Amino acid sequence: MILLGTPCNADGQDLPPDSAPSPPADGDPERPWYPFSSQAQFELADLVYHCDEMPAGQIDSLMDILAAFDASGTPPFSNHKDLYGCIDAISPERTWQCISITHADANTFVNGDPSVPAWKKATYDMWIRDPKSLIQKQLSNPEIKDFIDYAPCQVLGNNHQRVCMTGNWAWEQCVSFICYHCDIRLSWNVLDFQNKLSKDEENHGAMFVPIILGSDKTTVSVATGNNEYWPIYISTGNVHNCACHGHGRAVSLLGFLP
């Protein structure tokens, strides 16, 4: 096997056998609640945004009320935009961005052609996050360390879960061998079972990470007028099925289809 997920450091250098994993990167010890100014400000944001899901207008009203209780007239957040900004600053590399997409053949359509439906000529806005940073966050999650395959494996018997890394496809991506075959004419044939990944020596020892995308329609009725959304979810084929659930961190929201 070539792509077998050899443990390495941040520079890609192989670690000695049985080496302890590197400790997670800690934040600024002098500002443990950054980007929030204090624990109280963080808990207020969690209560308002996550627990209560308070609308923006009510957040502004609440900040005005809290400002009246402060001697200097300063609220915990200036308004809802200030609160949202602090939340986004928690993980700046995973913020949302809007991209415009069109039909693949949009440049070939003739203006005024009645045979081309309007949806093919339209431009759509798609909100999405950086998939690479989401996958890195998933793989660094210590909660799934016992439910992940770092290399393809073969599981025999019927009492096991079918996962991506136990399938033939994953095995074929990471295994490389050359077979010498002799036919009845005593002629030797060379059968090369190397694919593009295994032929590249830079990949030897690397971890094979299949990307799995999924989408499903959902209807949001709270304050949206029953609008329909098509969210895109991203995960890896390394994680076992038991860890891929709604409240786990092995599946992330990647974006919304228009």
Side-chain angles (χ1 to χ4, degrees), residues 2 10 17 23 29 43 57 73-74 79 95-96 99 128 133 137 145 150-151 158 171 179 190 195 212 218 243 254:
I2 301 299
E43 291 180 349
T74 304
N79 48 41
T95 54
W96 292 88
I99 60 175
I128 195 170
S133 64
K137 185 66 174 179
K145 64 181 180 63
Y150 299 97
N158 298 323
W171 186 266
C179 178
V190 179
N195 58 23
I212 298 177
T218 183
L254 174 62

Side-chain angles (χ1 to χ4, degrees), residues 24 28 32 43 46 49 54 56 69 74 77 86 91 118 120 129 132 134 144 160 163 166 182 189 232 245 247 253:
D28 188 349
E43 291 180 349
D46 181 62
Y49 183 81
M54 186 177 295
F69 284 93
T74 304
F77 300 96
C86 283
S91 302
K120 284 189 175 182
R129 295 193 288 177
K132 181 178 179 180
L134 294 175
I144 62 173
H160 71 278
V163 295
T166 62
C182 182
N189 298 318
I232 311 173
H245 51 80
H247 298 286
L253 177 62

Side-chain angles (χ1 to χ4, degrees), residues 76-120:
F77 300 96
S78 301
N79 48 41
H80 70 277
K81 293 183 179 180
D82 185 23
L83 185 145
Y84 296 163
C86 283
I87 295 175
D88 290 339
I90 296 175
S91 302
E93 73 280 4
R94 290 182 292 279
T95 54
W96 292 88
Q97 61 176 328
C98 182
I99 60 175
S100 297
I101 58 176
T102 58
H103 192 274
D105 299 328
N107 295 330
T108 64
F109 298 148
V110 179
N111 292 334
D113 186 353
S115 64
V116 180
W119 66 267
K120 284 189 175 182

Side-chain angles (χ1 to χ4, degrees), residues 78-256:
S78 301
N79 48 41
H80 70 277
K81 293 183 179 180
D82 185 23
L83 185 145
Y84 296 163
C86 283
I87 295 175
D88 290 339
I90 296 175
S91 302
E93 73 280 4
R94 290 182 292 279
T95 54
W96 292 88
Q97 61 176 328
C98 182
I99 60 175
S100 297
I101 58 176
T102 58
H103 192 274
D105 299 328
N107 295 330
T108 64
F109 298 148
V110 179
N111 292 334
D113 186 353
S115 64
V116 180
W119 66 267
K120 284 189 175 182
K121 296 182 289 185
T123 300
Y124 302 91
D125 291 336
M126 178 178 178
W127 287 91
I128 195 170
R129 295 193 288 177
D130 180 21
K132 181 178 179 180
S133 64
L134 294 175
I135 293 299
Q136 289 175 337
K137 185 66 174 179
Q138 291 179 14
L139 296 177
S140 64
N141 179 15
E143 297 178 1
I144 62 173
K145 64 181 180 63
D146 297 326
F147 308 100
I148 186 172
D149 294 318
Y150 299 97
C153 56
Q154 292 181 331
V155 181
L156 305 179
N158 298 323
N159 297 324
H160 71 278
Q161 286 189 335
R162 181 74 174 179
V163 295
C164 179
M165 297 298 279
T166 62
N168 292 333
W169 175 80
W171 186 266
E172 292 170 356
Q173 308 307 309
C174 304
V175 175
S176 174
F177 61 92
I178 299 177
C179 178
Y180 296 91
H181 174 260
C182 182
D183 58 22
I184 58 176
R185 296 172 298 178
L186 300 181
S187 176
W188 287 92
N189 298 318
V190 179
L191 303 179
D192 188 352
F193 289 91
Q194 290 182 311
N195 58 23
K196 291 183 178 180
L197 293 177
S198 59
K199 285 183 178 180
D200 189 350
E201 294 185 358
E202 293 292 332
N203 294 333
H204 293 186
M207 177 179 171
F208 179 60
V209 183
I211 303 300
I212 298 177
L213 299 176
S215 181
D216 191 13
K217 184 182 74 172
T218 183
T219 301
V220 180
S221 59
V222 178
T224 64
N226 291 325
N227 285 335
E228 294 180 347
Y229 294 88
W230 283 263
I232 311 173
Y233 301 99
I234 187 171
S235 183
T236 70
N238 309 80
V239 181
H240 298 177
N241 295 341
C242 59
C244 295
H245 51 80
H247 298 286
R249 289 191 287 176
V251 180
S252 302
L253 177 62
L254 174 62
F256 290 96

Side-chain angles (χ1 to χ4, degrees), residues 62-79:
L62 176 61
M63 294 304 116
D64 292 339
I65 295 173
L66 294 178
F69 284 93
D70 186 78
S72 61
T74 304
F77 300 96
S78 301
N79 48 41

